[in-house]
Each structure stands twice: as C-alpha cells, then as structure tokens.
Amino acid sequence: MVMKKVNIGIIGLGTIGSGVYKILNERRARIKKLYGIDIKIVRCCDISESSKRKLKISNSQFTKDFRVITRDKNVDVVIELIGGTKVAYKISEDAIKNGKNLITANKALLAERGKDIDKLLSKTGKNINYEASVGGGIPIIGTIRDSILINNILSFQGIMNGTCNYVLSLMSRKIEFQDAIKAAQKAGFAETDSTLDINGKDTAHKVVVLCKTCFGLDVKLKDMFIEGIENITSYDLDCSEKLGYKIKLLGIGRIINNHLDARVHPALVRQDNPLANVDNEFNAILVNSKNLGPFMSYGYGAGMLPTASAVVSDIIRISREDSNIKINQAKRLSMYKIDNLESKFYLRIELQDESGNLGTITSILGQYKISIDKIIQNSGDSKVKGVPVIILTKKNKFHTVNKAINKMKKLKFVGNNPLLLPIEDSI
Amino acid sequence: MVMKKVNIGIIGLGTIGSGVYKILNERRARIKKLYGIDIKIVRCCDISESSKRKLKISNSQFTKDFRVITRDKNVDVVIELIGGTKVAYKISEDAIKNGKNLITANKALLAERGKDIDKLLSKTGKNINYEASVGGGIPIIGTIRDSILINNILSFQGIMNGTCNYVLSLMSRKIEFQDAIKAAQKAGFAETDSTLDINGKDTAHKVVVLCKTCFGLDVKLKDMFIEGIENITSYDLDCSEKLGYKIKLLGIGRIINNHLDARVHPALVRQDNPLANVDNEFNAILVNSKNLGPFMSYGYGAGMLPTASAVVSDIIRISREDSNIKINQAKRLSMYKIDNLESKFYLRIELQDESGNLGTITSILGQYKISIDKIIQNSGDSKVKGVPVIILTKKNKFHTVNKAINKMKKLKFVGNNPLLLPIEDSI
C-alpha cells in the first residue's frame, strides 16, 4: 500500500473543530495503517485563542487569518467549521479558487449558497464533502452516495434535529413545552437560543442538503412548507400514543408526480414505523429507493465527537477517491404544493363545553366531505383551555381540511389555535 | 471525469445473480453518469440454463465452466454468487490466482475459508468486497469500513436473519413456532429447509464476517456459543412484552477485558432499544464505537433486488478505490467464554401446580446467590404444559445460573426444558 499524504487546514476551532483536531491527533497512526493515508494538520484558524490554548496548538500551527490556510500551497483540503453563511462562504470561495478540496459541516451554507459553491467547484474539478452537515455523526451522505444512489431514490424522511426530538421525548412524559426546552438546555441538547431548532429551520437546511444529495435538485427554503414544534402540547403526544402514533418533527423530501415535495413539520408516525422509536437526542434518516426499499440510519445527530468523526471520515473519503460522484441535475422539477398533500390528518381543536358544539364541527367536516376516522373527547385530563377534541380524518387534501378549519375558527365556541398534523402512515 | 471501464464476470445466476444482471442492465447508463464507471458484463456462468433463458443472455455471454470467467484476461472483477463453500472456494481461489478482484455475497465461504482467501489476496494485492454477505441490502460493511473504523469499535449487535425475525414477529402475535415457520415459508421469507436460519448458524456466519470487519479478528464457528430460536414459545414473547422487552435472535460481537465475545442467541431486548422495533423480515445492525456512540443501520436483510443492489455497490466501490483498507490483525485475542457472561436473565421453568414448588425453586436461586427481579406465574393463559413460571434475575454469571437450573432439573416437579435467555439491557 502506497502511503498518501494529505495536508489539511482547519478553519474554526469551536466544538466540532476541536473534536476534529483531537480525533486526528489520537487516530493519525490508526488512519495511516487502515487507509494508507497520512493526514497532517498544517494549520488551524480561529478568531479566538481559547481553543488554541486548550488544545495546546503551537504558534506556528495557528493563525487568525483564514487566508493563511486557503492560500497555503501545501494545504490540500480546507475544512470549514465556523458556521454561519457570510464568512463561511468567503472561506469556501477562497479555498476553491485556490484549488483546494473543501469539507464543511455547515448546512446553512450549503442550503443558502450550495449552488454558488458547486459553480466554483465545477471550474476546478475539486470536490466537496459534507457528511457532518446532516445527522451529525450518522454516515448518511456517504451511504447515499456510495450505496443507495445506484437505485432511484423515491423519498426520504428524517428526524434530523436532536433538540426537537429531545423536547418531544420529554413532552411524551407529560412535561410541557417550555419546561422541556429548559430541561433540554440543562442537559446540553439545546442551545440557549434554540429558535432555529424549534421552528424547523435547521431541519429545513438539512432537507435542502438531502434533496441535493438524493435527487440532485436545488431547493430554496422559501419554497418549502416549514413548521416547527411550538404548537405541540404534551396532551397531543399523549393522545397520539393512545392512538398508536408518536409525534416527530420530520424533514421530508420525495418525488411525486414529477414534482419535488420538500417540507418540514411535526407529523404523527405510526408506532411500527422505525422512525417512531427514535427518541431523545437521537437522529435517524429513512431513505426509500427502488431496489433497496426502506433503509434507515440511526445515531447521534450532534455532539463534538460524533460530528467530528463524520468530518474525519470526509477527509479520508476525499483522499481516497479521484472524483466525487456527479448527481444528475438535468431535470428541473417544480415544487409540489403542500396544499395538494393528500394525507390522513390529526386535528386538535378546543371547544367550549356545550352540547351541540361537537356536532357543528363534525357537520362542517361533512360539508367538505372530510371523513372522520376517530374522535377523542376527554375533558379533565388536559392542561389545554376549553375541551380539546381530537379528530383523526381519513385521507383528504391539506387544502380542503384547512378550509374546514378556517370555517370552524369563525365560530364563537372554537378556541384560537387548532392544530393540524399530517399522519405519515407508511414507511 | 475520466470514464473507467470495468469488466465483470458473474458466476451463479440464482436469485442474487439474476438481480445483479437485471440492475446492471437497467442502471449501466446511470452508473456511468454518476460514478464515471462503465460496467460491462463480459460473461455469466451457471450450471443450469434456466436463468440464461429468462434473462435472455446470449450464447457468447454465457458459460457453464467458471474457469472461462476466472481465466479470462478481459475480466477485472469476478462475482461469486453460487453459495456453498466447496465450489465457491475453488472459484475464489482461481479468480484470485488469476489476478482478479473478488466480490462475494457468501457468508458461509467467508466464515469458513476467509483466512485462506485473505492469504491468497495478500499475494496479488487485489481486493475482496462482500457487502451483501451481512444484512442483505443494508450497506453496513461499507459504512463500517469508510466511516466507523476510524474509531475503535467496541461492540456490535445485530438482527441478521430475516427468517427468524419474521417468525418471532408472528409469534408475538400468538402464533406458535411451527405455524409461524409455515407462514414464513408461505410468505417467501423462509426456505423449505430453514434449519440454518432457525438454529442460528446463518447468523453465526455473519458474526464471523463482522468480527473480521469490525475487529480484524478471525473467529471459528466452533468457538462460538450458538443457540437458535427453536425453544422460544409465543408465551415467552407475550411475557417479555408485558415486562417491557422483545425477544430477538441476536448476533453479538464485543471486545471485553481483552477477550473477544462472539455469540448468537435469542435475547430479551428492552423496548426502547432501537433493535427492539426491528420487526418482520427486516434486519438491523447496531455498532457501538468510541467517538460515534451507537449507530444502527436498518433495512431489508434479504430479497433479490436489495441484495443485488449491495453487490452492485461493491462493484462500484472496488472500481473507485485503489486499495482496500487493511484491518489491523496484529493482536490475537482469545475468546471470551459464555460461562463468564454477566447479565440479567430471563428464566422460564415449568412446575407442577403444587404448593411449595415455587418456594423450592426460589430457594435454589438463593443458594447460588441469584437475586430475583420479577416473577410471573400465570396459570391458564399458556399453551405450555405444567405451570410456566417466568423469573427475571438480577445480574449474575451465566455459569452460576446454569448450575442452579441443573439443580432444579433434578427435581421431579420441574419440566424438561427450562429456557434461559440473557437480557440485553443497554444499547
């Protein structure tokens, strides 16, 4: 085996960057032995010196100016781990223009500037790897590229935000939303500002990255239906469980009738769906393809060492392969409109506790030809104001069900915030 | 992208071989576009002509003599898909000696002759890929090699036999063993002779392959503890479920105290373990490594197209990479003895329904300092003769619990076949 030398520069020594530094120091000899690749960290960059001190990085191996790395002729691979999109794009641009391979864990960068980065790369023939941008340590990008893409990918569904999943798991133990977020912060599974996690935007970034990887299609965030978990109550989780479901925040991408359906929202997932049992801080991505059928990958979606391990696997991959795969982007598909989504639905609606109110609601559903599968009306054991009624509908259009809900909202005895969630019944 | 030409020969046109032929014919253009690899099937070999006719393979592309393929100078990769170990080894030997790369789906061959094949390969510098040998279509071997091996792998646990898992899933719906097997055969998930599946030997072959892949260690089947699912009753599944567990046939490998613990047996798996929810014909492998933590891969463990897709991914992999990874085999670890296994246990024992009998049993457990966690004694709702008593023990040694059981067996009022299963409590 001929030893291949690979020189890298790490830009950003936050949690992931520090993890990459640690793993490479610890595993350099093992990686040489296993893969015949000698990875040398030429230089690290950060605007602060605190990680430099902690990791005992020498002055000669450290810089505060990323250009010292992106323009170093000895550097083969630039690893961008600063997060954000502005400076991260500048780094990527400079690295690619200087003929480097690029590795990033930055889903926001890929979601917002991925097309520009691809354009730059196409001029140099160099590659980009981004395993850590989706599912943290879970090797899903590599698996899709190496093993699943042979087949036509039909759809993916993923639990791709550990914060939301942890919060929902706590809520299924009757802890309310705000308390669950606090507990998640205390346990280290949620940032102090977890807005991007909770509102679904972080998951949406990952959906964009997966749409590109699975289908070769560019999606813009603004064209996606994105809903977070803010309106879920522990009562919803409780009712769902009694009905044989769990509620999960899903990132979904699928090709349907020559359209791309890409969206993020909480959904009811049947308890025998493998995604239903992905709890706490874990992530999982289920990919359905023509010959393979359903395939799911499960593991830690965040954390220093899991995510850093994914970055290290990217370095090895980029060093072993002559060229990245070229995902066919010939076809441009227009976006599928969420209004057209046909699904069973979970509807929670609060009614004043008077006789006849439920009858009025069901008759509105009847007017829109929305068939009811099940109704739960449990006064007493809920913390929601009024009497919450849970209705499971049979298959109908999102648009039609929303119309019915808008009509219900105009009634005096109906509470302000009905909750409507699709039911994902099949794998 | 420079187009790489790869010429292959397929030996064995059974289910998987026919699948490979189909996928390659259907996907050749896609694979060229994606990976820059042009895969040409130079020739196929089978002793029967029935697949040749079905697949409309021309005379010039077909042979009944495998040497026509293994000795063809134009063939780069030989794909052995005949199963069994004798002729399959001859094919492998001849292919390697003629300087070919080898792809196989044959776990029995790898388990029994893997060391010999490695020795032959080391002389030529050529590679072997065997993705389809474990977990059917699930890309677990590639994932371990490319993404997990960077880290130290601590253990793996897998549901790796679809027949057993399907049978156990039926039995959890109160269908008894013999009927469940018949139903599995009818549904196409069990062979007419499913002995190797049911008795755990098929899973053991896969454990050997995974021990090699994860730890670089050779294991002999005769050194492993192997137990099948023949003694499980639907009553065991029912009781386990009530106690918060499922029963799964597990293949296990782990490094413990500098020993290799490799075994196959049914075990109780806690319902929140992701393996617990792998039902029906599905397979899953959970790998625990130092930095990544628990990672699970889930999908179809058998079937023509999933397995063939794994073989095709091997062709692409072997064509893209200069060299296989070299798993460190320096250390030779001795085998961990199952007798030393420390675990909680599930014990089912049949007693004649007389007062005092249960007291005698528990006092025997007391003599061996085996603490009881739970007891279920449910006369009436069981099909097992006598009164089955279920005892969950606290942690103890397998050896000690077996001693106690042997003492119990000597008592007149104890039935013939007590069942003892380890409880896998952690992920």
Side-chain angles (χ1 to χ4, degrees), chain A residues 1 4 23 26-27 30-31 33-35 131 137-139 143-153 214 271-274 277 279 282 286 290-300 305-307 309-310 312-314 316-317 320-328 330 427, chain B residues 1 4 23 26-27 30-31 33-35 131 137-139 143-153 214 271-274 277 279 282 286 290-300 305-307 309-310 312-314 316-317 320-328 330 427:
Chain A
M1 184 153 56
K4 220 181 245 181
I23 292 182
E26 199 186 302
R27 302 279 154 178
R30 182 176 172 87
I31 291 168
K33 218 169 192 173
L34 276 171
Y35 301 100
E131 181 61 84
I138 304 172
T143 304
I144 291 171
R145 288 194 192 187
D146 294 344
S147 302
I148 310 184
L149 269 183
I150 301 161
N151 312 297
N152 271 356
I153 296 181
C214 293
Q271 268 158 16
D272 60 356
N273 183 318
N277 298 295
D279 288 322
F282 283 98
L286 183 73
K290 207 186 152 211
N291 296 316
L292 264 188
F295 163 78
M296 190 181 85
S297 218
Y298 164 103
Y300 282 128
L305 292 174
T307 313
S309 168
V312 173
S313 78
D314 268 352
I316 293 165
R317 190 178 293 268
R320 295 180 83 200
E321 291 169 1
D322 304 333
S323 61
N324 258 357
I325 61 155
K326 310 290 173 210
I327 303 163
N328 179 12
I427 296 182
Chain B
M1 186 153 54
K4 221 180 244 180
I23 293 182
E26 199 187 300
R27 301 280 155 175
R30 181 176 173 87
I31 291 168
K33 218 171 191 172
L34 274 172
Y35 301 100
E131 182 60 84
I138 304 174
T143 303
I144 290 172
R145 291 196 191 186
D146 294 343
S147 301
I148 310 186
L149 268 184
I150 302 162
N151 313 297
N152 271 358
I153 294 180
C214 292
Q271 268 160 17
D272 59 357
N273 183 318
N277 298 296
D279 289 321
F282 283 97
L286 183 72
K290 207 185 152 213
N291 296 315
L292 263 188
F295 162 79
M296 191 181 85
S297 218
Y298 164 104
Y300 282 128
L305 292 174
T307 312
S309 168
V312 173
S313 79
D314 268 352
I316 292 166
R317 191 179 292 267
R320 295 180 83 202
E321 291 169 2
D322 304 333
S323 61
N324 257 357
I325 61 154
K326 309 291 173 210
I327 303 164
N328 179 14
I427 294 181

